[in-house]
Amino acid sequence: MNNDIIKGKWSQLHGKLKTQWSKLTDDDLGQKDGHREYLVGKVQERYGIAKDMADAQVAAFERSLR
């Protein structure tokens, strides 16, 4: 999904993001609205996984939105 589309729908995606990654806080999701790399970093941090794994999870989430 295009990064601009994610930014445009960030507030609408907020609930889906919390469902996908329940360890993310509202503050985490409010910090950098729609910035993919920030989301990857937060998923990596909260779940203690490698960056490539977090990136793969975010990519799968993006594909699910199509």
Side-chain angles (χ1 to χ4, degrees), residues 14-45:
H14 193 96
K16 288 183 179 185
L17 290 164
K18 290 280 290 184
T19 299
Q20 179 74 28
W21 296 288
S22 60
K23 290 182 182 180
L24 294 178
T25 66
D26 289 333
D27 285 342
D28 290 339
L29 296 175
Q31 291 292 318
K32 298 276 185 176
D33 292 348
H35 288 85
R36 186 183 189 286
E37 288 304 312
Y38 177 80
L39 177 59
V40 170
K42 281 298 173 183
V43 169
Q44 178 184 6
E45 177 184 329

PDB file of all heavy atoms in Angstrom, residues 14-45:
ATOM      1  N   HIS A  14      -6.204   3.119  13.117  1.00  0.00           N
ATOM      2  CA  HIS A  14      -5.783   3.054  14.517  1.00  0.00           C
ATOM      3  C   HIS A  14      -6.328   1.796  15.206  1.00  0.00           C
ATOM      4  O   HIS A  14      -5.578   1.061  15.853  1.00  0.00           O
ATOM      5  CB  HIS A  14      -6.253   4.323  15.235  1.00  0.00           C
ATOM      6  CG  HIS A  14      -5.641   4.536  16.560  1.00  0.00           C
ATOM      7  ND1 HIS A  14      -4.539   5.338  16.742  1.00  0.00           N
ATOM      8  CD2 HIS A  14      -5.958   4.055  17.785  1.00  0.00           C
ATOM      9  CE1 HIS A  14      -4.211   5.344  18.017  1.00  0.00           C
ATOM     10  NE2 HIS A  14      -5.057   4.580  18.665  1.00  0.00           N
ATOM     11  N   GLY A  15      -7.606   1.523  15.070  1.00  0.00           N
ATOM     12  CA  GLY A  15      -8.215   0.347  15.694  1.00  0.00           C
ATOM     13  C   GLY A  15      -7.664  -0.955  15.158  1.00  0.00           C
ATOM     14  O   GLY A  15      -7.417  -1.894  15.918  1.00  0.00           O
ATOM     15  N   LYS A  16      -7.465  -1.023  13.847  1.00  0.00           N
ATOM     16  CA  LYS A  16      -6.906  -2.235  13.241  1.00  0.00           C
ATOM     17  C   LYS A  16      -5.470  -2.462  13.700  1.00  0.00           C
ATOM     18  O   LYS A  16      -5.054  -3.595  13.920  1.00  0.00           O
ATOM     19  CB  LYS A  16      -6.966  -2.146  11.722  1.00  0.00           C
ATOM     20  CG  LYS A  16      -8.356  -2.273  11.172  1.00  0.00           C
ATOM     21  CD  LYS A  16      -8.358  -2.248   9.668  1.00  0.00           C
ATOM     22  CE  LYS A  16      -9.772  -2.393   9.152  1.00  0.00           C
ATOM     23  NZ  LYS A  16      -9.839  -2.494   7.710  1.00  0.00           N
ATOM     24  N   LEU A  17      -4.726  -1.371  13.834  1.00  0.00           N
ATOM     25  CA  LEU A  17      -3.349  -1.487  14.314  1.00  0.00           C
ATOM     26  C   LEU A  17      -3.324  -2.015  15.741  1.00  0.00           C
ATOM     27  O   LEU A  17      -2.504  -2.872  16.082  1.00  0.00           O
ATOM     28  CB  LEU A  17      -2.648  -0.133  14.239  1.00  0.00           C
ATOM     29  CG  LEU A  17      -2.332   0.378  12.834  1.00  0.00           C
ATOM     30  CD1 LEU A  17      -2.014   1.868  12.866  1.00  0.00           C
ATOM     31  CD2 LEU A  17      -1.189  -0.403  12.226  1.00  0.00           C
ATOM     32  N   LYS A  18      -4.229  -1.516  16.582  1.00  0.00           N
ATOM     33  CA  LYS A  18      -4.293  -1.977  17.982  1.00  0.00           C
ATOM     34  C   LYS A  18      -4.730  -3.438  18.045  1.00  0.00           C
ATOM     35  O   LYS A  18      -4.288  -4.179  18.918  1.00  0.00           O
ATOM     36  CB  LYS A  18      -5.247  -1.104  18.788  1.00  0.00           C
ATOM     37  CG  LYS A  18      -4.766   0.308  19.042  1.00  0.00           C
ATOM     38  CD  LYS A  18      -3.785   0.383  20.169  1.00  0.00           C
ATOM     39  CE  LYS A  18      -4.516   0.103  21.469  1.00  0.00           C
ATOM     40  NZ  LYS A  18      -3.681   0.229  22.624  1.00  0.00           N
ATOM     41  N   THR A  19      -5.598  -3.855  17.134  1.00  0.00           N
ATOM     42  CA  THR A  19      -6.019  -5.260  17.093  1.00  0.00           C
ATOM     43  C   THR A  19      -4.861  -6.150  16.680  1.00  0.00           C
ATOM     44  O   THR A  19      -4.630  -7.210  17.269  1.00  0.00           O
ATOM     45  CB  THR A  19      -7.199  -5.435  16.115  1.00  0.00           C
ATOM     46  OG1 THR A  19      -8.297  -4.636  16.569  1.00  0.00           O
ATOM     47  CG2 THR A  19      -7.634  -6.879  16.036  1.00  0.00           C
ATOM     48  N   GLN A  20      -4.117  -5.713  15.666  1.00  0.00           N
ATOM     49  CA  GLN A  20      -2.975  -6.491  15.161  1.00  0.00           C
ATOM     50  C   GLN A  20      -1.846  -6.556  16.187  1.00  0.00           C
ATOM     51  O   GLN A  20      -1.252  -7.611  16.392  1.00  0.00           O
ATOM     52  CB  GLN A  20      -2.474  -5.859  13.860  1.00  0.00           C
ATOM     53  CG  GLN A  20      -1.287  -6.544  13.244  1.00  0.00           C
ATOM     54  CD  GLN A  20      -1.641  -7.858  12.588  1.00  0.00           C
ATOM     55  OE1 GLN A  20      -2.763  -8.050  12.139  1.00  0.00           O
ATOM     56  NE2 GLN A  20      -0.697  -8.763  12.525  1.00  0.00           N
ATOM     57  N   TRP A  21      -1.536  -5.418  16.809  1.00  0.00           N
ATOM     58  CA  TRP A  21      -0.426  -5.331  17.754  1.00  0.00           C
ATOM     59  C   TRP A  21      -0.934  -4.706  19.050  1.00  0.00           C
ATOM     60  O   TRP A  21      -0.810  -3.498  19.275  1.00  0.00           O
ATOM     61  CB  TRP A  21       0.717  -4.496  17.178  1.00  0.00           C
ATOM     62  CG  TRP A  21       1.330  -5.116  15.962  1.00  0.00           C
ATOM     63  CD1 TRP A  21       2.125  -6.221  15.931  1.00  0.00           C
ATOM     64  CD2 TRP A  21       1.197  -4.684  14.609  1.00  0.00           C
ATOM     65  NE1 TRP A  21       2.496  -6.498  14.636  1.00  0.00           N
ATOM     66  CE2 TRP A  21       1.937  -5.567  13.803  1.00  0.00           C
ATOM     67  CE3 TRP A  21       0.518  -3.622  13.995  1.00  0.00           C
ATOM     68  CZ2 TRP A  21       2.024  -5.438  12.431  1.00  0.00           C
ATOM     69  CZ3 TRP A  21       0.602  -3.491  12.619  1.00  0.00           C
ATOM     70  CH2 TRP A  21       1.335  -4.387  11.857  1.00  0.00           C
ATOM     71  N   SER A  22      -1.492  -5.522  19.911  1.00  0.00           N
ATOM     72  CA  SER A  22      -2.138  -5.024  21.135  1.00  0.00           C
ATOM     73  C   SER A  22      -1.157  -4.390  22.123  1.00  0.00           C
ATOM     74  O   SER A  22      -1.573  -3.621  22.991  1.00  0.00           O
ATOM     75  CB  SER A  22      -2.904  -6.153  21.823  1.00  0.00           C
ATOM     76  OG  SER A  22      -2.019  -7.208  22.181  1.00  0.00           O
ATOM     77  N   LYS A  23       0.123  -4.677  21.985  1.00  0.00           N
ATOM     78  CA  LYS A  23       1.105  -4.082  22.900  1.00  0.00           C
ATOM     79  C   LYS A  23       1.429  -2.626  22.548  1.00  0.00           C
ATOM     80  O   LYS A  23       2.059  -1.942  23.344  1.00  0.00           O
ATOM     81  CB  LYS A  23       2.401  -4.901  22.907  1.00  0.00           C
ATOM     82  CG  LYS A  23       2.257  -6.254  23.572  1.00  0.00           C
ATOM     83  CD  LYS A  23       3.577  -6.986  23.599  1.00  0.00           C
ATOM     84  CE  LYS A  23       3.444  -8.361  24.217  1.00  0.00           C
ATOM     85  NZ  LYS A  23       4.728  -9.066  24.239  1.00  0.00           N
ATOM     86  N   LEU A  24       1.009  -2.173  21.384  1.00  0.00           N
ATOM     87  CA  LEU A  24       1.226  -0.777  21.017  1.00  0.00           C
ATOM     88  C   LEU A  24       0.262   0.101  21.801  1.00  0.00           C
ATOM     89  O   LEU A  24      -0.920  -0.220  21.915  1.00  0.00           O
ATOM     90  CB  LEU A  24       1.019  -0.555  19.515  1.00  0.00           C
ATOM     91  CG  LEU A  24       2.002  -1.238  18.579  1.00  0.00           C
ATOM     92  CD1 LEU A  24       1.626  -0.958  17.132  1.00  0.00           C
ATOM     93  CD2 LEU A  24       3.420  -0.791  18.852  1.00  0.00           C
ATOM     94  N   THR A  25       0.766   1.176  22.331  1.00  0.00           N
ATOM     95  CA  THR A  25      -0.077   2.082  23.111  1.00  0.00           C
ATOM     96  C   THR A  25      -0.664   3.169  22.209  1.00  0.00           C
ATOM     97  O   THR A  25      -0.213   3.374  21.082  1.00  0.00           O
ATOM     98  CB  THR A  25       0.743   2.760  24.229  1.00  0.00           C
ATOM     99  OG1 THR A  25       1.714   3.621  23.618  1.00  0.00           O
ATOM    100  CG2 THR A  25       1.437   1.740  25.118  1.00  0.00           C
ATOM    101  N   ASP A  26      -1.657   3.877  22.740  1.00  0.00           N
ATOM    102  CA  ASP A  26      -2.209   5.014  22.003  1.00  0.00           C
ATOM    103  C   ASP A  26      -1.134   6.056  21.767  1.00  0.00           C
ATOM    104  O   ASP A  26      -1.106   6.701  20.718  1.00  0.00           O
ATOM    105  CB  ASP A  26      -3.388   5.621  22.760  1.00  0.00           C
ATOM    106  CG  ASP A  26      -4.616   4.722  22.735  1.00  0.00           C
ATOM    107  OD1 ASP A  26      -4.768   3.941  21.776  1.00  0.00           O
ATOM    108  OD2 ASP A  26      -5.433   4.813  23.668  1.00  0.00           O
ATOM    109  N   ASP A  27      -0.243   6.217  22.734  1.00  0.00           N
ATOM    110  CA  ASP A  27       0.865   7.158  22.562  1.00  0.00           C
ATOM    111  C   ASP A  27       1.786   6.713  21.424  1.00  0.00           C
ATOM    112  O   ASP A  27       2.261   7.535  20.649  1.00  0.00           O
ATOM    113  CB  ASP A  27       1.679   7.305  23.844  1.00  0.00           C
ATOM    114  CG  ASP A  27       0.974   8.130  24.899  1.00  0.00           C
ATOM    115  OD1 ASP A  27       0.029   8.876  24.552  1.00  0.00           O
ATOM    116  OD2 ASP A  27       1.368   8.038  26.068  1.00  0.00           O
ATOM    117  N   ASP A  28       2.057   5.405  21.335  1.00  0.00           N
ATOM    118  CA  ASP A  28       2.884   4.885  20.243  1.00  0.00           C
ATOM    119  C   ASP A  28       2.268   5.243  18.892  1.00  0.00           C
ATOM    120  O   ASP A  28       2.962   5.681  17.980  1.00  0.00           O
ATOM    121  CB  ASP A  28       3.011   3.358  20.311  1.00  0.00           C
ATOM    122  CG  ASP A  28       3.847   2.864  21.474  1.00  0.00           C
ATOM    123  OD1 ASP A  28       4.652   3.644  22.010  1.00  0.00           O
ATOM    124  OD2 ASP A  28       3.683   1.677  21.832  1.00  0.00           O
ATOM    125  N   LEU A  29       0.971   5.046  18.777  1.00  0.00           N
ATOM    126  CA  LEU A  29       0.297   5.262  17.504  1.00  0.00           C
ATOM    127  C   LEU A  29       0.044   6.732  17.219  1.00  0.00           C
ATOM    128  O   LEU A  29      -0.179   7.117  16.087  1.00  0.00           O
ATOM    129  CB  LEU A  29      -1.015   4.475  17.470  1.00  0.00           C
ATOM    130  CG  LEU A  29      -0.844   2.959  17.540  1.00  0.00           C
ATOM    131  CD1 LEU A  29      -2.199   2.275  17.613  1.00  0.00           C
ATOM    132  CD2 LEU A  29      -0.039   2.448  16.365  1.00  0.00           C
ATOM    133  N   GLY A  30       0.101   7.562  18.237  1.00  0.00           N
ATOM    134  CA  GLY A  30      -0.143   8.981  18.040  1.00  0.00           C
ATOM    135  C   GLY A  30       1.104   9.782  17.750  1.00  0.00           C
ATOM    136  O   GLY A  30       1.026  10.928  17.306  1.00  0.00           O
ATOM    137  N   GLN A  31       2.274   9.206  17.975  1.00  0.00           N
ATOM    138  CA  GLN A  31       3.529   9.932  17.849  1.00  0.00           C
ATOM    139  C   GLN A  31       3.847  10.347  16.417  1.00  0.00           C
ATOM    140  O   GLN A  31       4.152  11.493  16.154  1.00  0.00           O
ATOM    141  CB  GLN A  31       4.696   9.098  18.389  1.00  0.00           C
ATOM    142  CG  GLN A  31       4.672   8.907  19.875  1.00  0.00           C
ATOM    143  CD  GLN A  31       4.928  10.190  20.618  1.00  0.00           C
ATOM    144  OE1 GLN A  31       5.790  10.961  20.245  1.00  0.00           O
ATOM    145  NE2 GLN A  31       4.170  10.429  21.660  1.00  0.00           N
ATOM    146  N   LYS A  32       3.839   9.441  15.522  1.00  0.00           N
ATOM    147  CA  LYS A  32       4.272   9.689  14.143  1.00  0.00           C
ATOM    148  C   LYS A  32       3.198   9.170  13.192  1.00  0.00           C
ATOM    149  O   LYS A  32       3.360   8.153  12.535  1.00  0.00           O
ATOM    150  CB  LYS A  32       5.591   8.985  13.839  1.00  0.00           C
ATOM    151  CG  LYS A  32       6.745   9.426  14.672  1.00  0.00           C
ATOM    152  CD  LYS A  32       7.363  10.653  14.081  1.00  0.00           C
ATOM    153  CE  LYS A  32       8.615  11.011  14.862  1.00  0.00           C
ATOM    154  NZ  LYS A  32       9.326  12.105  14.317  1.00  0.00           N
ATOM    155  N   ASP A  33       2.109   9.869  13.120  1.00  0.00           N
ATOM    156  CA  ASP A  33       0.969   9.421  12.323  1.00  0.00           C
ATOM    157  C   ASP A  33       1.362   9.013  10.912  1.00  0.00           C
ATOM    158  O   ASP A  33       1.789   9.832  10.113  1.00  0.00           O
ATOM    159  CB  ASP A  33      -0.094  10.517  12.237  1.00  0.00           C
ATOM    160  CG  ASP A  33      -0.760  10.785  13.574  1.00  0.00           C
ATOM    161  OD1 ASP A  33      -0.555   9.982  14.499  1.00  0.00           O
ATOM    162  OD2 ASP A  33      -1.493  11.783  13.677  1.00  0.00           O
ATOM    163  N   GLY A  34       1.211   7.726  10.630  1.00  0.00           N
ATOM    164  CA  GLY A  34       1.388   7.223   9.286  1.00  0.00           C
ATOM    165  C   GLY A  34       2.802   6.965   8.826  1.00  0.00           C
ATOM    166  O   GLY A  34       3.012   6.622   7.678  1.00  0.00           O
ATOM    167  N   HIS A  35       3.775   7.101   9.683  1.00  0.00           N
ATOM    168  CA  HIS A  35       5.152   6.850   9.273  1.00  0.00           C
ATOM    169  C   HIS A  35       5.474   5.369   9.449  1.00  0.00           C
ATOM    170  O   HIS A  35       5.574   4.863  10.570  1.00  0.00           O
ATOM    171  CB  HIS A  35       6.122   7.720  10.068  1.00  0.00           C
ATOM    172  CG  HIS A  35       6.052   9.150   9.661  1.00  0.00           C
ATOM    173  ND1 HIS A  35       5.136  10.017  10.178  1.00  0.00           N
ATOM    174  CD2 HIS A  35       6.777   9.838   8.753  1.00  0.00           C
ATOM    175  CE1 HIS A  35       5.310  11.199   9.619  1.00  0.00           C
ATOM    176  NE2 HIS A  35       6.290  11.120   8.750  1.00  0.00           N
ATOM    177  N   ARG A  36       5.646   4.704   8.348  1.00  0.00           N
ATOM    178  CA  ARG A  36       5.836   3.258   8.339  1.00  0.00           C
ATOM    179  C   ARG A  36       7.058   2.834   9.136  1.00  0.00           C
ATOM    180  O   ARG A  36       7.007   1.882   9.906  1.00  0.00           O
ATOM    181  CB  ARG A  36       5.959   2.778   6.887  1.00  0.00           C
ATOM    182  CG  ARG A  36       6.011   1.280   6.767  1.00  0.00           C
ATOM    183  CD  ARG A  36       6.201   0.871   5.303  1.00  0.00           C
ATOM    184  NE  ARG A  36       6.044  -0.550   5.143  1.00  0.00           N
ATOM    185  CZ  ARG A  36       6.944  -1.456   5.520  1.00  0.00           C
ATOM    186  NH1 ARG A  36       8.066  -1.074   6.090  1.00  0.00           N
ATOM    187  NH2 ARG A  36       6.718  -2.737   5.334  1.00  0.00           N
ATOM    188  N   GLU A  37       8.171   3.498   8.941  1.00  0.00           N
ATOM    189  CA  GLU A  37       9.400   3.105   9.644  1.00  0.00           C
ATOM    190  C   GLU A  37       9.257   3.258  11.156  1.00  0.00           C
ATOM    191  O   GLU A  37       9.805   2.463  11.915  1.00  0.00           O
ATOM    192  CB  GLU A  37      10.599   3.901   9.128  1.00  0.00           C
ATOM    193  CG  GLU A  37      11.040   3.480   7.747  1.00  0.00           C
ATOM    194  CD  GLU A  37      11.362   1.996   7.638  1.00  0.00           C
ATOM    195  OE1 GLU A  37      12.094   1.464   8.506  1.00  0.00           O
ATOM    196  OE2 GLU A  37      10.868   1.355   6.702  1.00  0.00           O
ATOM    197  N   TYR A  38       8.534   4.262  11.587  1.00  0.00           N
ATOM    198  CA  TYR A  38       8.272   4.434  13.020  1.00  0.00           C
ATOM    199  C   TYR A  38       7.445   3.253  13.529  1.00  0.00           C
ATOM    200  O   TYR A  38       7.743   2.698  14.583  1.00  0.00           O
ATOM    201  CB  TYR A  38       7.532   5.754  13.273  1.00  0.00           C
ATOM    202  CG  TYR A  38       7.162   5.952  14.720  1.00  0.00           C
ATOM    203  CD1 TYR A  38       8.102   6.412  15.638  1.00  0.00           C
ATOM    204  CD2 TYR A  38       5.883   5.676  15.172  1.00  0.00           C
ATOM    205  CE1 TYR A  38       7.778   6.588  16.970  1.00  0.00           C
ATOM    206  CE2 TYR A  38       5.546   5.854  16.507  1.00  0.00           C
ATOM    207  CZ  TYR A  38       6.488   6.306  17.394  1.00  0.00           C
ATOM    208  OH  TYR A  38       6.161   6.477  18.711  1.00  0.00           O
ATOM    209  N   LEU A  39       6.411   2.857  12.760  1.00  0.00           N
ATOM    210  CA  LEU A  39       5.585   1.717  13.143  1.00  0.00           C
ATOM    211  C   LEU A  39       6.424   0.445  13.222  1.00  0.00           C
ATOM    212  O   LEU A  39       6.314  -0.314  14.188  1.00  0.00           O
ATOM    213  CB  LEU A  39       4.434   1.540  12.153  1.00  0.00           C
ATOM    214  CG  LEU A  39       3.513   0.344  12.391  1.00  0.00           C
ATOM    215  CD1 LEU A  39       2.864   0.405  13.770  1.00  0.00           C
ATOM    216  CD2 LEU A  39       2.457   0.274  11.296  1.00  0.00           C
ATOM    217  N   VAL A  40       7.272   0.227  12.232  1.00  0.00           N
ATOM    218  CA  VAL A  40       8.160  -0.946  12.247  1.00  0.00           C
ATOM    219  C   VAL A  40       9.020  -0.930  13.502  1.00  0.00           C
ATOM    220  O   VAL A  40       9.154  -1.945  14.196  1.00  0.00           O
ATOM    221  CB  VAL A  40       9.034  -0.997  10.969  1.00  0.00           C
ATOM    222  CG1 VAL A  40      10.128  -2.061  11.102  1.00  0.00           C
ATOM    223  CG2 VAL A  40       8.178  -1.262   9.741  1.00  0.00           C
ATOM    224  N   GLY A  41       9.579   0.220  13.834  1.00  0.00           N
ATOM    225  CA  GLY A  41      10.422   0.337  15.024  1.00  0.00           C
ATOM    226  C   GLY A  41       9.668   0.067  16.310  1.00  0.00           C
ATOM    227  O   GLY A  41      10.186  -0.581  17.223  1.00  0.00           O
ATOM    228  N   LYS A  42       8.435   0.550  16.389  1.00  0.00           N
ATOM    229  CA  LYS A  42       7.637   0.319  17.602  1.00  0.00           C
ATOM    230  C   LYS A  42       7.232  -1.139  17.737  1.00  0.00           C
ATOM    231  O   LYS A  42       7.230  -1.692  18.835  1.00  0.00           O
ATOM    232  CB  LYS A  42       6.398   1.220  17.614  1.00  0.00           C
ATOM    233  CG  LYS A  42       6.703   2.626  18.044  1.00  0.00           C
ATOM    234  CD  LYS A  42       7.223   2.621  19.469  1.00  0.00           C
ATOM    235  CE  LYS A  42       7.714   3.945  19.931  1.00  0.00           C
ATOM    236  NZ  LYS A  42       8.280   3.908  21.274  1.00  0.00           N
ATOM    237  N   VAL A  43       6.878  -1.779  16.628  1.00  0.00           N
ATOM    238  CA  VAL A  43       6.553  -3.211  16.667  1.00  0.00           C
ATOM    239  C   VAL A  43       7.789  -3.990  17.112  1.00  0.00           C
ATOM    240  O   VAL A  43       7.708  -4.877  17.977  1.00  0.00           O
ATOM    241  CB  VAL A  43       6.041  -3.701  15.289  1.00  0.00           C
ATOM    242  CG1 VAL A  43       5.948  -5.218  15.242  1.00  0.00           C
ATOM    243  CG2 VAL A  43       4.688  -3.071  14.965  1.00  0.00           C
ATOM    244  N   GLN A  44       8.933  -3.628  16.567  1.00  0.00           N
ATOM    245  CA  GLN A  44      10.197  -4.280  16.945  1.00  0.00           C
ATOM    246  C   GLN A  44      10.462  -4.107  18.436  1.00  0.00           C
ATOM    247  O   GLN A  44      10.780  -5.062  19.141  1.00  0.00           O
ATOM    248  CB  GLN A  44      11.334  -3.681  16.124  1.00  0.00           C
ATOM    249  CG  GLN A  44      12.690  -4.232  16.454  1.00  0.00           C
ATOM    250  CD  GLN A  44      13.799  -3.525  15.685  1.00  0.00           C
ATOM    251  OE1 GLN A  44      13.573  -2.549  14.982  1.00  0.00           O
ATOM    252  NE2 GLN A  44      15.011  -4.029  15.824  1.00  0.00           N
ATOM    253  N   GLU A  45      10.300  -2.890  18.925  1.00  0.00           N
ATOM    254  CA  GLU A  45      10.574  -2.578  20.327  1.00  0.00           C
ATOM    255  C   GLU A  45       9.604  -3.282  21.268  1.00  0.00           C
ATOM    256  O   GLU A  45      10.020  -3.913  22.245  1.00  0.00           O
ATOM    257  CB  GLU A  45      10.453  -1.066  20.510  1.00  0.00           C
ATOM    258  CG  GLU A  45      10.644  -0.580  21.926  1.00  0.00           C
ATOM    259  CD  GLU A  45      10.402   0.920  22.032  1.00  0.00           C
ATOM    260  OE1 GLU A  45      10.651   1.666  21.070  1.00  0.00           O
ATOM    261  OE2 GLU A  45       9.949   1.338  23.112  1.00  0.00           O
TER     262      GLU A  45
END
